Coordinates of all heavy atoms in Angstrom, one line a residue:
M1 N 75.0 104.4 96.7 CA 76.3 104.0 96.2 C 77.1 103.4 97.4 O 77.4 104.1 98.4 CB 77.1 105.1 95.6 CG 78.4 104.8 95.1 SD 79.1 106.2 94.2 CE 80.8 105.8 94.3
P2 N 77.6 102.2 97.4 CA 78.3 101.6 98.5 C 79.7 102.3 98.6 O 80.3 102.7 97.6 CB 78.4 100.1 98.1 CG 78.0 100.0 96.7 CD 77.3 101.2 96.3
S3 N 80.2 102.3 99.8 CA 81.5 102.9 100.1 C 82.6 101.9 99.6 O 82.4 100.7 99.8 CB 81.7 103.2 101.5 OG 80.7 104.1 102.0
E4 N 83.6 102.4 99.1 CA 84.7 101.6 98.6 C 86.0 102.0 99.3 O 86.7 102.9 98.9 CB 84.9 101.7 97.1 CG 85.9 100.7 96.5 CD 86.0 100.8 95.0 OE1 85.1 101.4 94.3 OE2 86.9 100.2 94.5
F5 N 86.3 101.3 100.4 CA 87.5 101.6 101.1 C 88.7 100.7 100.7 O 89.8 101.1 100.6 CB 87.3 101.4 102.6 CG 86.2 102.3 103.2 CD1 84.9 101.8 103.4 CD2 86.4 103.7 103.4 CE1 83.9 102.7 103.9 CE2 85.5 104.5 103.9 CZ 84.2 104.0 104.2
V6 N 88.3 99.4 100.5 CA 89.3 98.5 100.0 C 89.1 98.2 98.5 O 87.9 98.0 98.1 CB 89.1 97.1 100.8 CG1 90.1 96.1 100.3 CG2 89.3 97.4 102.3
R7 N 90.1 98.2 97.7 CA 90.0 98.1 96.3 C 90.4 96.8 95.8 O 91.3 96.1 96.3 CB 90.7 99.2 95.6 CG 90.2 100.6 96.0 CD 90.8 101.7 95.2 NE 90.3 103.0 95.6 CZ 89.4 103.6 95.0 NH1 88.7 103.1 94.0 NH2 89.0 104.8 95.5
F8 N 89.8 96.4 94.7 CA 90.0 95.1 94.1 C 91.5 94.8 93.7 O 92.0 93.8 94.1 CB 89.1 95.0 92.8 CG 89.2 93.6 92.1 CD1 88.4 92.6 92.5 CD2 90.0 93.4 91.0 CE1 88.5 91.3 91.9 CE2 90.1 92.2 90.4 CZ 89.3 91.1 90.9
N9 N 92.1 95.7 93.0 CA 93.5 95.5 92.6 C 94.4 95.4 93.8 O 95.5 94.7 93.8 CB 94.0 96.5 91.6 CG 93.3 96.4 90.3 OD1 92.9 95.3 89.9 ND2 93.3 97.4 89.5
T10 N 94.1 96.1 94.9 CA 94.9 96.0 96.1 C 95.0 94.6 96.6 O 96.1 94.1 97.0 CB 94.4 97.0 97.2 OG1 94.3 98.3 96.6 CG2 95.3 97.0 98.4
I11 N 93.8 94.0 96.7 CA 93.8 92.6 97.2 C 94.4 91.6 96.2 O 95.2 90.8 96.6 CB 92.3 92.2 97.5 CG1 91.6 93.1 98.5 CG2 92.2 90.7 97.9 CD1 92.2 93.1 99.9
K12 N 94.1 91.8 95.0 CA 94.7 90.9 94.0 C 96.2 90.9 94.0 O 96.9 89.9 93.9 CB 94.1 91.2 92.5 CG 92.7 90.9 92.3 CD 92.4 89.4 92.2 CE 92.8 88.9 90.8 NZ 92.4 87.5 90.6
D13 N 96.7 92.2 94.0 CA 98.2 92.3 94.0 C 98.8 91.8 95.3 O 99.9 91.1 95.2 CB 98.5 93.8 93.9 CG 98.2 94.4 92.5 OD1 97.9 93.6 91.6 OD2 98.2 95.6 92.4
Y14 N 98.1 92.0 96.4 CA 98.7 91.4 97.6 C 98.8 89.9 97.6 O 99.8 89.3 97.9 CB 97.8 91.9 98.8 CG 98.3 91.3 100.1 CD1 99.2 92.0 100.9 CD2 97.8 90.1 100.7 CE1 99.7 91.5 102.1 CE2 98.3 89.6 101.9 CZ 99.2 90.3 102.6 OH 99.7 89.8 103.7
V15 N 97.7 89.3 97.2 CA 97.6 87.8 97.1 C 98.7 87.3 96.1 O 99.5 86.4 96.5 CB 96.3 87.3 96.6 CG1 96.3 85.8 96.3 CG2 95.2 87.6 97.7
K16 N 98.9 88.0 95.0 CA 99.9 87.6 94.0 C 101.3 87.8 94.5 O 102.1 86.9 94.4 CB 99.7 88.4 92.7 CG 100.7 88.0 91.6 CD 100.4 88.8 90.4 CE 101.5 88.6 89.4 NZ 101.3 89.6 88.3
D17 N 101.6 88.9 95.1 CA 102.9 89.3 95.5 C 103.3 88.7 96.9 O 104.5 88.3 97.0 CB 103.1 90.8 95.6 CG 102.9 91.5 94.3 OD1 103.0 90.8 93.2 OD2 102.6 92.7 94.2
V18 N 102.4 88.6 97.8 CA 102.8 88.2 99.2 C 102.6 86.7 99.4 O 103.5 86.1 99.9 CB 102.1 89.0 100.2 CG1 102.4 88.6 101.6 CG2 102.4 90.5 100.1
V19 N 101.5 86.2 99.0 CA 101.3 84.8 99.3 C 101.5 83.9 98.0 O 101.4 82.7 98.1 CB 99.9 84.5 99.8 CG1 99.8 85.0 101.2 CG2 98.8 85.0 99.0
N20 N 101.9 84.6 96.9 CA 102.3 83.9 95.7 C 101.2 82.9 95.2 O 101.5 81.8 94.9 CB 103.7 83.2 95.9 CG 104.3 82.9 94.6 OD1 104.1 83.6 93.6 ND2 105.1 81.8 94.6
M21 N 100.0 83.4 95.1 CA 98.9 82.6 94.6 C 98.0 83.5 93.8 O 98.1 84.7 93.8 CB 98.1 82.1 95.8 CG 98.8 81.1 96.7 SD 97.7 80.4 98.0 CE 96.9 79.2 97.0
R22 N 97.1 82.8 93.0 CA 96.1 83.5 92.3 C 94.9 83.6 93.1 O 94.7 82.8 94.1 CB 95.8 82.7 91.0 CG 97.0 82.7 90.0 CD 96.7 82.0 88.7 NE 96.1 80.6 89.0 CZ 95.4 79.9 88.1 NH1 95.3 80.4 86.9 NH2 94.9 78.8 88.4
S23 N 94.0 84.5 92.8 CA 92.7 84.6 93.5 C 91.5 84.7 92.6 O 91.6 85.3 91.5 CB 92.8 85.8 94.5 OG 93.1 87.0 93.7
N24 N 90.5 84.1 93.0 CA 89.2 84.1 92.3 C 88.5 85.5 92.4 O 88.5 86.0 93.5 CB 88.3 83.0 92.8 CG 87.0 82.9 92.1 OD1 86.1 83.7 92.5 ND2 86.9 82.1 91.1
E25 N 88.0 86.0 91.3 CA 87.3 87.3 91.4 C 86.2 87.4 92.4 O 86.0 88.3 93.1 CB 86.8 87.6 90.0 CG 86.1 89.0 89.9 CD 85.7 89.4 88.5 OE1 86.2 88.8 87.5 OE2 84.9 90.3 88.4
E26 N 85.4 86.3 92.4 CA 84.2 86.3 93.4 C 84.7 86.3 94.8 O 84.1 86.9 95.7 CB 83.4 85.0 93.2 CG 82.6 85.1 91.9 CD 81.7 83.8 91.7 OE1 81.3 83.2 92.7 OE2 81.5 83.5 90.5
A27 N 85.8 85.5 95.1 CA 86.4 85.5 96.5 C 86.9 86.9 96.9 O 86.6 87.3 98.0 CB 87.5 84.5 96.5
V28 N 87.6 87.5 96.0 CA 88.1 88.9 96.3 C 86.9 89.9 96.5 O 86.9 90.7 97.4 CB 89.0 89.4 95.1 CG1 89.4 90.8 95.4 CG2 90.3 88.5 95.1
N29 N 85.9 89.8 95.6 CA 84.8 90.7 95.7 C 84.0 90.5 97.0 O 83.6 91.5 97.6 CB 83.9 90.6 94.5 CG 84.4 91.3 93.3 OD1 85.2 92.2 93.4 ND2 84.1 90.8 92.1
D30 N 83.9 89.2 97.4 CA 83.2 89.0 98.7 C 84.0 89.5 99.9 O 83.4 90.2 100.8 CB 83.0 87.4 98.9 CG 82.2 87.1 100.1 OD1 81.2 87.7 100.3 OD2 82.7 86.2 100.9
L31 N 85.3 89.3 99.9 CA 86.2 89.9 100.9 C 86.1 91.4 101.0 O 85.9 92.0 102.0 CB 87.6 89.4 100.7 CG 88.6 89.9 101.7 CD1 88.4 89.3 103.1 CD2 90.0 89.6 101.2
I32 N 86.1 92.0 99.8 CA 86.1 93.5 99.7 C 84.7 94.0 100.3 O 84.7 94.9 101.0 CB 86.3 93.9 98.3 CG1 87.7 93.7 97.9 CG2 85.9 95.4 98.1 CD1 88.0 93.9 96.4
S33 N 83.7 93.3 99.9 CA 82.3 93.7 100.3 C 82.2 93.6 101.8 O 81.7 94.5 102.5 CB 81.3 92.8 99.7 OG 80.0 93.1 100.2
R34 N 82.7 92.5 102.4 CA 82.7 92.4 103.9 C 83.5 93.4 104.6 O 83.1 94.0 105.6 CB 83.1 91.0 104.3 CG 82.1 89.9 103.9 CD 82.6 88.6 104.2 NE 81.7 87.6 103.8 CZ 81.4 86.5 104.5 NH1 82.0 86.3 105.7 NH2 80.6 85.6 104.0
F35 N 84.7 93.7 104.1 CA 85.6 94.7 104.7 C 85.0 96.1 104.6 O 85.0 96.8 105.6 CB 87.0 94.6 104.2 CG 88.0 93.8 105.0 CD1 88.6 92.7 104.4 CD2 88.3 94.1 106.3 CE1 89.5 91.9 105.1 CE2 89.2 93.3 107.0 CZ 89.7 92.2 106.4
N36 N 84.5 96.4 103.4 CA 83.9 97.7 103.2 C 82.7 97.9 104.2 O 82.6 99.0 104.8 CB 83.6 97.9 101.8 CG 84.7 98.2 100.9 OD1 85.8 98.6 101.3 ND2 84.6 97.9 99.6
G37 N 81.9 96.9 104.3 CA 80.8 97.0 105.2 C 81.2 97.1 106.7 O 80.6 97.9 107.4
L38 N 82.3 96.4 107.1 CA 82.8 96.5 108.4 C 83.4 97.9 108.7 O 83.1 98.5 109.7 CB 83.9 95.5 108.6 CG 84.6 95.4 110.0 CD1 83.6 95.1 111.1 CD2 85.7 94.4 109.9
I39 N 84.1 98.4 107.8 CA 84.7 99.8 107.9 C 83.6 100.8 108.0 O 83.6 101.7 108.9 CB 85.6 100.1 106.8 CG1 86.9 99.2 106.8 CG2 86.0 101.6 106.8 CD1 87.7 99.2 105.6
E40 N 82.6 100.7 107.1 CA 81.5 101.6 107.2 C 80.7 101.6 108.5 O 80.3 102.6 109.1 CB 80.5 101.4 106.0 CG 79.5 102.4 105.8 CD 78.7 102.2 104.5 OE1 79.0 101.3 103.7 OE2 77.8 103.0 104.3
S41 N 80.5 100.4 109.0 CA 79.8 100.2 110.3 C 80.6 100.8 111.4 O 80.0 101.4 112.3 CB 79.5 98.7 110.6 OG 78.7 98.2 109.6
A42 N 81.9 100.6 111.4 CA 82.7 101.1 112.5 C 82.7 102.6 112.5 O 82.7 103.3 113.5 CB 84.2 100.6 112.3
I43 N 82.8 103.2 111.3 CA 82.8 104.7 111.2 C 81.5 105.2 111.6 O 81.4 106.2 112.4 CB 83.1 105.1 109.7 CG1 84.6 104.8 109.4 CG2 82.8 106.6 109.6 CD1 85.0 105.0 108.0
T44 N 80.4 104.6 111.2 CA 79.0 105.1 111.6 C 78.9 105.0 113.2 O 78.4 105.9 113.8 CB 77.9 104.2 111.0 OG1 78.1 104.3 109.6 CG2 76.6 104.6 111.4
E45 N 79.3 103.9 113.8 CA 79.3 103.7 115.2 C 80.2 104.8 115.9 O 79.7 105.4 116.9 CB 79.7 102.3 115.6 CG 79.6 102.1 117.1 CD 78.2 102.2 117.7 OE1 77.2 102.0 117.0 OE2 78.2 102.5 118.9
A46 N 81.4 105.0 115.4 CA 82.3 106.0 116.0 C 81.7 107.4 115.9 O 81.8 108.2 116.9 CB 83.6 105.9 115.3
A47 N 81.0 107.7 114.8 CA 80.4 109.0 114.7 C 79.3 109.2 115.7 O 79.1 110.2 116.3 CB 79.9 109.2 113.2
S48 N 78.5 108.1 115.9 CA 77.4 108.1 116.8 C 78.0 108.4 118.3 O 77.4 109.2 119.0 CB 76.7 106.8 116.8 OG 75.6 106.8 117.7
L49 N 79.0 107.7 118.6 CA 79.7 107.9 119.9 C 80.2 109.3 120.1 O 80.0 109.9 121.2 CB 80.8 106.9 120.1 CG 80.4 105.4 120.2 CD1 81.6 104.5 120.1 CD2 79.6 105.2 121.5
A50 N 80.8 109.9 119.1 CA 81.3 111.2 119.1 C 80.1 112.2 119.3 O 80.2 113.1 120.1 CB 82.1 111.6 117.9
R51 N 79.0 112.0 118.6 CA 77.8 112.9 118.7 C 77.2 112.8 120.1 O 76.8 113.8 120.6 CB 76.8 112.5 117.7 CG 77.2 113.0 116.3 CD 76.0 112.8 115.3 NE 76.5 113.0 113.9 CZ 76.8 112.0 113.1 NH1 76.5 110.8 113.4 NH2 77.2 112.3 111.9
E52 N 77.2 111.6 120.7 CA 76.7 111.5 122.1 C 77.5 112.3 123.0 O 77.0 112.8 124.0 CB 76.8 110.0 122.5 CG 75.8 109.1 121.9 CD 75.9 107.7 122.3 OE1 76.8 107.4 123.2 OE2 75.3 106.8 121.7
Q53 N 78.8 112.5 122.8 CA 79.6 113.4 123.6 C 79.6 114.8 123.1 O 80.5 115.6 123.6 CB 81.1 112.8 123.6 CG 81.2 111.4 124.2 CD 80.9 111.4 125.6 OE1 81.3 112.2 126.4 NE2 80.1 110.4 126.0
K54 N 78.7 115.1 122.2 CA 78.6 116.5 121.7 C 79.9 117.0 121.0 O 80.3 118.2 121.1 CB 78.1 117.5 122.8 CG 76.8 117.1 123.4 CD 76.2 118.1 124.2 CE 75.0 117.7 125.0 NZ 74.0 116.9 124.4
R55 N 80.5 116.1 120.3 CA 81.7 116.4 119.5 C 81.4 116.2 118.0 O 80.5 115.4 117.7 CB 82.9 115.5 119.9 CG 83.4 115.8 121.2 CD 84.7 115.0 121.5 NE 84.3 113.7 122.1 CZ 84.4 112.5 121.5 NH1 84.9 112.5 120.2 NH2 84.1 111.4 122.0
N56 N 82.1 116.9 117.2 CA 82.0 116.7 115.7 C 83.3 116.1 115.2 O 83.5 116.3 114.0 CB 81.5 118.0 115.0 CG 82.5 119.1 115.1 OD1 83.5 119.0 115.8 ND2 82.2 120.2 114.5
T57 N 84.1 115.5 116.0 CA 85.3 114.9 115.6 C 85.3 113.5 116.2 O 85.1 113.3 117.4 CB 86.5 115.7 116.2 OG1 86.4 117.0 115.7 CG2 87.8 115.1 115.8
I58 N 85.6 112.5 115.4 CA 85.8 111.2 115.8 C 87.2 111.0 116.4 O 88.2 111.3 115.7 CB 85.6 110.2 114.7 CG1 84.2 110.2 114.2 CG2 86.0 108.7 115.1 CD1 83.9 109.4 112.9
L59 N 87.3 110.6 117.7 CA 88.6 110.5 118.3 C 89.0 109.0 118.4 O 88.2 108.1 118.1 CB 88.5 111.0 119.7 CG 88.2 112.5 119.9 CD1 88.1 112.9 121.4 CD2 89.2 113.4 119.2
Q60 N 90.2 108.7 118.7 CA 90.7 107.4 118.8 C 89.8 106.5 119.7 O 89.5 105.4 119.4 CB 92.2 107.4 119.3 CG 92.8 106.0 119.3 CD 94.2 106.0 119.8 OE1 94.7 107.0 120.2 NE2 94.9 104.8 119.7
E61 N 89.4 107.1 120.9 CA 88.6 106.4 121.8 C 87.3 105.9 121.2 O 86.8 104.8 121.5 CB 88.4 107.2 123.1 CG 87.6 108.5 122.8 CD 87.7 109.5 124.0 OE1 88.8 109.7 124.5 OE2 86.6 109.9 124.4
D62 N 86.7 106.8 120.3 CA 85.5 106.5 119.6 C 85.7 105.3 118.7 O 84.9 104.4 118.6 CB 84.9 107.7 118.8 CG 84.7 108.9 119.7 OD1 84.2 108.7 120.8 OD2 85.0 110.0 119.2
M63 N 86.8 105.4 118.0 CA 87.0 104.3 117.0 C 87.3 103.0 117.7 O 86.9 101.9 117.2 CB 88.2 104.7 116.1 CG 88.3 103.9 114.8 SD 86.9 103.8 113.8 CE 86.8 105.4 113.1
K64 N 88.1 103.0 118.8 CA 88.3 101.8 119.6 C 87.0 101.1 120.0 O 86.9 99.9 119.9 CB 89.2 102.1 120.8 CG 90.7 102.2 120.4 CD 91.5 102.4 121.7 CE 93.0 102.3 121.5 NZ 93.7 102.4 122.7
L65 N 86.2 101.9 120.6 CA 84.9 101.4 121.1 C 84.0 100.9 119.9 O 83.4 99.8 120.0 CB 84.1 102.5 121.9 CG 84.7 102.9 123.2 CD1 84.0 104.1 123.8 CD2 84.7 101.7 124.2
A66 N 84.0 101.6 118.8 CA 83.3 101.2 117.7 C 83.8 99.9 117.1 O 83.0 99.0 116.7 CB 83.3 102.3 116.6
L67 N 85.1 99.8 117.0 CA 85.7 98.5 116.5 C 85.4 97.3 117.5 O 85.1 96.2 117.0 CB 87.2 98.7 116.3 CG 87.6 99.4 115.1 CD1 89.1 99.7 115.1 CD2 87.3 98.7 113.8
E68 N 85.4 97.6 118.8 CA 85.1 96.5 119.7 C 83.7 96.1 119.5 O 83.4 94.9 119.6 CB 85.3 97.0 121.2 CG 86.8 97.0 121.5 CD 87.0 97.4 123.0 OE1 86.0 97.6 123.7 OE2 88.2 97.6 123.4
K69 N 82.8 97.0 119.3 CA 81.4 96.7 119.1 C 81.1 96.0 117.8 O 80.4 95.1 117.7 CB 80.5 97.9 119.2 CG 79.0 97.7 119.1 CD 78.2 98.9 119.3 CE 76.7 98.6 119.1 NZ 75.9 99.7 119.3
T70 N 81.8 96.5 116.8 CA 81.6 96.0 115.4 C 82.3 94.7 115.2 O 81.7 93.7 114.6 CB 82.1 97.0 114.4 OG1 81.5 98.3 114.6 CG2 81.8 96.6 113.0
V71 N 83.6 94.6 115.5 CA 84.4 93.4 115.3 C 84.2 92.4 116.4 O 84.3 91.2 116.2 CB 85.9 93.7 115.1 CG1 86.7 92.5 114.8 CG2 86.0 94.7 113.9
G72 N 84.1 92.9 117.6 CA 84.0 92.0 118.8 C 85.0 92.4 119.8 O 85.9 93.2 119.5
K73 N 85.0 91.8 120.9 CA 85.9 92.1 122.0 C 87.2 91.3 121.9 O 88.0 91.4 122.9 CB 85.2 92.0 123.3 CG 84.0 92.9 123.4 CD 83.6 93.0 124.9 CE 82.4 93.9 125.0 NZ 82.6 95.3 124.9
K74 N 87.4 90.6 120.9 CA 88.7 89.9 120.7 C 89.8 90.9 120.3 O 89.5 91.8 119.5 CB 88.6 88.8 119.7 CG 87.6 87.7 120.0 CD 87.5 86.7 118.9 CE 86.5 85.7 119.1 NZ 86.4 84.8 118.0
H75 N 90.9 90.7 120.9 CA 92.1 91.6 120.5 C 92.8 90.9 119.4 O 93.7 90.0 119.7 CB 93.0 91.9 121.7 CG 92.2 92.7 122.8 ND1 91.9 94.0 122.6 CD2 91.7 92.3 124.0 CE1 91.2 94.4 123.7 NE2 91.1 93.4 124.5
L76 N 92.5 91.2 118.2 CA 93.0 90.5 117.0 C 94.0 91.4 116.2 O 93.7 92.6 116.2 CB 91.9 90.0 116.1 CG 90.9 89.1 116.7 CD1 89.7 88.8 115.7 CD2 91.5 87.7 117.1
D77 N 95.0 90.8 115.6 CA 95.8 91.5 114.7 C 95.0 91.5 113.3 O 94.0 90.9 113.2 CB 97.2 91.0 114.6 CG 97.2 89.5 114.1 OD1 96.1 89.0 113.8 OD2 98.3 89.0 114.1
W78 N 95.5 92.2 112.3 CA 94.8 92.2 111.0 C 94.6 90.8 110.4 O 93.6 90.6 109.8 CB 95.6 93.1 110.1 CG 95.4 94.6 110.4 CD1 96.3 95.4 110.9 CD2 94.1 95.3 110.3 NE1 95.7 96.7 111.2 CE2 94.4 96.6 110.8 CE3 92.9 95.0 109.9 CZ2 93.4 97.6 110.8 CZ3 91.9 95.9 109.9 CH2 92.1 97.2 110.4
Q79 N 95.6 89.9 110.6 CA 95.5 88.6 110.1 C 94.3 87.9 110.8 O 93.5 87.2 110.2 CB 96.8 87.8 110.2 CG 96.7 86.4 109.6 CD 96.5 86.5 108.1 OE1 97.1 87.3 107.4 NE2 95.6 85.6 107.6
G80 N 94.2 88.1 112.1 CA 93.2 87.5 112.9 C 91.8 88.0 112.4 O 90.8 87.2 112.4
I81 N 91.7 89.3 112.2 CA 90.4 89.9 111.7 C 90.1 89.3 110.4 O 88.9 88.9 110.1 CB 90.6 91.4 111.6 CG1 90.7 92.0 113.1 CG2 89.3 92.0 110.9 CD1 91.0 93.5 113.1
L82 N 91.1 89.2 109.5 CA 90.8 88.6 108.1 C 90.3 87.2 108.3 O 89.3 86.8 107.6 CB 92.1 88.6 107.3 CG 92.0 88.0 106.0 CD1 91.0 88.6 105.0 CD2 93.4 88.0 105.3
D83 N 90.9 86.4 109.2 CA 90.5 85.0 109.4 C 89.1 84.9 109.9 O 88.3 84.1 109.5 CB 91.5 84.3 110.3 CG 92.9 84.1 109.7 OD1 93.0 84.2 108.5 OD2 93.8 83.9 110.5
E84 N 88.7 85.8 110.8 CA 87.4 85.9 111.3 C 86.3 86.2 110.3 O 85.3 85.6 110.2 CB 87.3 86.9 112.5 CG 87.9 86.5 113.8 CD 87.2 85.4 114.5 OE1 86.0 85.4 114.6 OE2 87.9 84.4 114.9
I85 N 86.7 87.1 109.4 CA 85.7 87.5 108.3 C 85.6 86.4 107.3 O 84.5 86.1 106.9 CB 86.2 88.8 107.7 CG1 86.0 90.0 108.6 CG2 85.4 89.1 106.4 CD1 86.6 91.3 108.1
I86 N 86.7 85.8 107.0 CA 86.6 84.7 106.0 C 85.8 83.5 106.6 O 85.0 82.9 106.1 CB 88.0 84.3 105.5 CG1 88.6 85.4 104.7 CG2 87.9 82.9 104.8 CD1 90.0 85.1 104.3

């Protein structure tokens, strides 16, 4: 079962309320799939980094390193990350 971190209605409502546009179901589902995969990859990588340090807690440093490895070394804001994924 795939992980569901980002939900369909959250994206649809955001597009409608903030950018005042409609959104295609396939476009929203593709975006959700990519974000959920990215989040899952980052968590998996962060967990691996924590285990390497013999910890059972993911710390901020683990998540930062995991995001850099997963998303890249660009320092992007959320809009920048969204643009890269799209």
Side-chain angles (χ1 to χ4, degrees):
M1 180 175 156
S3 300
E4 189 177 346
F5 300 103
V6 179
R7 298 189 182 263
F8 184 82
N9 287 338
T10 303
I11 301 297
K12 290 288 278 189
D13 291 345
Y14 179 87
V15 170
K16 181 181 174 189
D17 296 341
V18 176
V19 290
N20 198 29
M21 295 184 78
R22 297 181 308 162
S23 54
N24 178 277
E25 184 176 338
E26 289 179 29
V28 172
N29 285 331
D30 185 48
L31 179 66
I32 289 169
S33 174
R34 290 178 183 217
F35 265 118
N36 285 337
L38 178 64
I39 293 168
E40 190 171 357
S41 295
I43 291 171
T44 300
E45 180 64 26
S48 177
L49 292 168
R51 285 187 191 106
E52 286 176 8
Q53 297 295 316
K54 301 192 185 324
R55 289 185 273 108
N56 62 358
T57 303
I58 295 174
L59 301 177
Q60 182 179 9
E61 63 195 49
D62 302 321
M63 195 57 71
K64 279 185 174 182
L65 291 172
L67 284 170
E68 284 182 6
K69 182 176 181 180
T70 306
V71 177
K73 297 196 185 281
K74 297 179 183 176
H75 297 287
L76 302 173
D77 60 4
W78 284 110
Q79 184 63 43
I81 292 171
L82 176 62
D83 293 341
E84 286 290 314
I85 289 175
I86 290 174

